[in-house]
Amino acid sequence: MSTPTIFRLTSLHTRYQFTETIRVPIAVIGTTLFPSLSLLFFVVPQPFAQDPRQATAAAAQLAIFAVMTVCLFTYGVGVAEDRALPWDGYLRTLPVGPLPRLTGRLLTGLAFVVIGLVPLVLIAWLATAATLPISRLAMTAAALLAAGVPLFALGITIGYSLSTRAAMAVAQSLLMPLAFGGGLFVPPNMFPGWLDAISRCLPTRAGRDLVVTATAGTDVAGTSVLMLAGWTVLTGSLAVWAYRRDQGRRFR
Amino acid sequence: MEILARTVHATRRYGPVTALDGVCLEVPAGQLLGLLGPNGAGKTTLLQLLAGLRRPTSGTVELFGGDPRMAARRRRLGCTVQETGLPPTLRVHEIVDFVGGHFANPVPTAQLLDQFALTGLEGRQSGGLSGGQKRRLAVAVAFVGRPDLVLLDEPTTGLDVEARHLLWGAVHHYHQGGGTVVLTSHYLQEVEALAERVVVIDQGRVRADGTIAEVRALVPARRVRLNAPDLPPLAGVESSSRVGDRYELWTTDSDALLRELVDSRVPFRDLEVARASLEEAFLALTSPSTQTLTPTPVEMAR
């Protein structure tokens, strides 16, 4: 046999991450079910659930919320927890670089995002007037992915720069402001002017605009794309910095 | 001889604390090296530098001729999980398969589990294993990649006698097959039985480096005990203590000391002469009170 290739190592780490995460089902259910339940309880009973445009936007917003939950908790808190364990130090003595491990994490998170989106899409399809023509499916998935990149980088930054407790506190205090402020729960056209101005500076708002316009097939605002790109560069740099400075725990 | 690992004036600081202070060490292929030192001496930090877990603050660290922080340099390295930090939800065979998957030619899982008396536990989640079983698994994974060098940090801590024998047997077997081992242990007798070379570290510095006989020669290696009403000053005594009539004398030459004692005509009785064990030699080297006896251990280490 030969030295494992980077592909074999990536597949190895993806399987390992996935298995380890799925063995604690309650953690998976907690992060993946909340967006679907929000749709079921807060959107389905409302009159606007029967308006195709508004219902589709509501489902798209909650889809971003699902992505953000996985990013902040699976990546943010999960990475911080792993780093505190001696097992993580052991993994760093194995002949594997950061790329297969990070890719494994990324793919595992992606799998759980998909698992979380399945009930959400089913509920939106069966119980609301939301529609998404097949022709816009790929564009919507791409928009969701693009909206998720800065959130992923934010999670990685939190995970690699903070202790478990601090990561939990930061993730929780970021989740709700980013969700409300980004218009994931209440559509931004209901915001007062000052809130809308703040909202436009948030990565979640830019991502939300991108995904909602992708589902509607309308043109996306250039400012949203710029804002998302800016956040991607900023959080991406922070994530690389946090990963590089990490040497396991801060004490011996 | 090939040098598998090397530190050159490696210093590691954590803020104001200096954990390692200018350590120079070479690990040649095929050697079984025991690292000794009190808690906090810097042994674990040294192993972490060699495994690429930490950068030295200054100086250099080499593993198989390169930087241990590069993954490719660690292909011939095996390490233990320091505490029992195995992922609790993964099954025994999943952990072994996962670690083995990083290497070109891993030991088949069944064979490795058999060697560490873990057969029959393949399907068990590691969180459900006993303390001794976890510890054996944590050491077993160090060998799954057929490494040329293994770093074992306290591999037998918390194990019963039987499990310790099993582990030492595995280490011995690996070493007989040409493997190189750097290990730390609290069980000095076992280090004494297995290690060809001993490096004593204290306060981040190498205090002694040599064969067990050489390290023992650095300290007063003979202990003479006797009962006597009062002893006159004796030239051969390096240090002494007294409880009631019972004296304990440390000397490098017990024969000369005995001649001196007899010549002094002191009425002594219950004479005992013993060779210091490595443990005693080691305690003498690292305890502050007796360090004055060996004023230049650092020079002697070279």
Side-chain angles (χ1 to χ4, degrees):
Chain A
M1 270 192 274
S2 57
T3 305
T5 60
I6 196 154
F7 299 108
R8 211 177 105 194
L9 289 173
T10 304
S11 127
L12 186 70
H13 276 261
T14 309
R15 270 182 290 143
Y16 154 76
Q17 289 272 351
F18 191 84
T19 312
E20 212 198 355
T21 315
I22 205 94
R23 287 276 159 82
V24 191
I26 192 69
V28 181
I29 290 168
T31 46
T32 54
L33 221 56
F34 187 68
S36 306
L37 292 177
S38 305
L39 187 71
L40 197 60
F41 293 130
F42 300 123
V43 177
V44 171
Q46 303 289 333
F48 72 80
Q50 297 319 313
D51 174 73
R53 194 184 56 81
Q54 290 188 53
T56 309
Q61 286 161 190
L62 285 170
I64 298 179
F65 183 69
V67 171
M68 179 162 70
T69 314
V70 168
C71 285
L72 290 184
F73 288 96
T74 305
Y75 298 130
V77 180
V79 168
E81 273 172 355
D82 284 355
R83 276 192 320 127
L85 298 174
W87 179 249
D88 186 72
Y90 175 71
L91 291 185
R92 294 196 297 131
T93 71
L94 292 174
V96 56
L99 204 61
R101 294 188 59 192
L102 276 179
T103 314
R105 248 184 217 293
L106 181 67
L107 293 176
T108 306
L110 217 53
F112 287 112
V113 166
V114 171
I115 291 173
L117 287 181
V118 167
L120 185 80
V121 170
L122 278 180
I123 293 167
W125 181 41
L126 296 174
T128 76
T131 54
L132 185 65
I134 293 292
S135 57
R136 284 185 218 137
L137 193 64
M139 185 56 102
T140 305
L144 203 53
L145 215 54
V149 172
L151 299 172
F152 169 69
L154 187 63
I156 292 290
T157 307
I158 292 170
Y160 279 103
S161 56
L162 299 173
S163 68
T164 308
R165 277 190 194 183
M168 183 62 99
V170 169
Q172 276 168 345
S173 53
L174 282 177
L175 185 72
M176 285 304 158
L178 280 178
F180 273 109
L184 304 189
F185 294 153
V186 179
N189 56 19
M190 293 172 73
F191 285 175
W194 62 270
L195 185 56
D196 192 48
I198 297 173
S199 173
R200 284 180 188 284
C201 299
L202 296 177
T204 36
R205 171 63 185 276
R208 178 236 169 240
D209 289 350
L210 199 69
V211 177
V212 169
T213 51
T215 58
T218 49
D219 284 339
V220 65
T223 47
S224 300
V225 175
L226 271 180
M227 191 56 80
L228 197 65
W231 274 105
T232 301
V233 171
L234 179 70
T235 54
S237 315
L238 281 174
V240 170
W241 167 79
Y243 185 86
R244 288 211 176 133
R245 80 185 260 282
D246 173 52
Q247 286 191 43
R249 291 172 293 179
R250 296 283 102 202
F251 46 89
R252 41 176 171 145
Chain B
M1 187 173 291
E2 190 192 358
I3 300 295
L4 301 191
R6 173 188 282 132
T7 67
V8 183
H9 298 296
T11 295
R12 172 71 210 201
R13 293 193 190 88
Y14 300 99
V17 181
T18 302
L20 274 188
D21 191 359
V23 168
C24 296
L25 186 74
E26 288 189 345
V27 183
Q31 195 168 62
L32 203 160
L33 192 161
L35 272 183
L36 300 178
N39 283 336
K43 292 171 297 184
T44 299
T45 299
L46 180 57
L47 290 188
Q48 286 175 332
L49 290 183
L50 291 176
L53 285 173
R54 295 184 189 283
R55 261 180 280 246
T57 311
S58 65
T60 56
V61 178
E62 260 178 42
L63 183 72
F64 297 108
D67 183 352
R69 292 176 60 84
M70 305 303 295
R73 297 277 81 78
R74 303 193 295 264
R75 282 190 190 129
R76 294 159 64 195
L77 178 73
C79 295
T80 45
V81 186
Q82 191 198 344
E83 303 154 46
T84 47
L86 300 159
T89 58
L90 289 192
R91 302 184 193 288
V92 169
H93 78 89
E94 287 170 341
I95 291 173
V96 176
D97 292 345
F98 170 68
V99 176
H102 290 81
F103 298 94
N105 183 23
V107 177
T109 302
Q111 187 186 327
L112 188 80
L113 294 181
D114 179 54
Q115 199 189 348
F116 285 86
L118 291 166
T119 305
L121 301 171
E122 294 86 344
R124 198 83 78 77
Q125 291 189 338
S126 84
L129 298 178
S130 75
Q133 289 165 341
K134 280 183 196 165
R135 202 62 235 162
R136 295 205 303 272
L137 179 59
V139 177
V141 294
F143 295 94
V144 69
R146 301 186 199 274
D148 291 321
L149 169 65
V150 291
L151 307 177
L152 306 177
D153 195 5
E154 299 287 349
T156 54
T157 301
L159 286 185
D160 59 29
V161 178
E162 199 185 335
R164 253 158 56 204
H165 272 118
L166 183 111
L167 276 191
W168 288 122
V171 171
H172 185 66
H173 175 77
Y174 167 76
H175 179 234
Q176 291 295 302
T180 310
V181 182
V182 177
L183 67 88
T184 68
S185 175
H186 278 128
Y187 298 98
L188 294 164
Q189 290 170 328
E190 292 168 329
V191 174
E192 193 164 359
L194 277 176
E196 299 159 318
R197 177 179 165 204
V198 175
V199 172
V200 180
I201 295 187
D202 186 36
Q203 296 177 340
R205 287 167 181 261
V206 174
R207 300 289 174 186
D209 180 351
T211 62
I212 285 153
E214 283 165 351
V215 169
R216 208 184 271 128
L218 289 178
V219 288
R222 307 283 159 158
R223 188 188 61 207
V224 177
R225 283 176 176 156
L226 51 87
N227 281 16
D230 243 328
L231 281 186
L234 297 163
V237 175
E238 305 248 357
S239 74
S240 65
S241 60
R242 178 183 184 179
V243 180
D245 277 354
R246 190 72 176 159
Y247 278 90
E248 185 173 282
L249 311 174
W250 287 86
T251 179
T252 47
D253 188 345
S254 49
D255 303 330
L257 178 63
L258 285 188
R259 268 184 229 109
E260 212 183 334
L261 262 175
V262 172
D263 289 347
S264 73
R265 299 186 172 278
V266 175
F268 66 84
R269 57 193 172 79
D270 285 341
L271 177 74
E272 254 180 64
V273 180
R275 201 177 67 154
S277 71
L278 178 63
E279 185 156 9
E280 289 161 323
F282 153 73
L283 286 174
L285 265 182
T286 55
S287 78
S289 60
T290 50
Q291 245 168 34
T292 47
L293 291 175
T294 51
T296 55
V298 177
E299 275 77 8
M300 296 181 81
R302 297 292 147 80

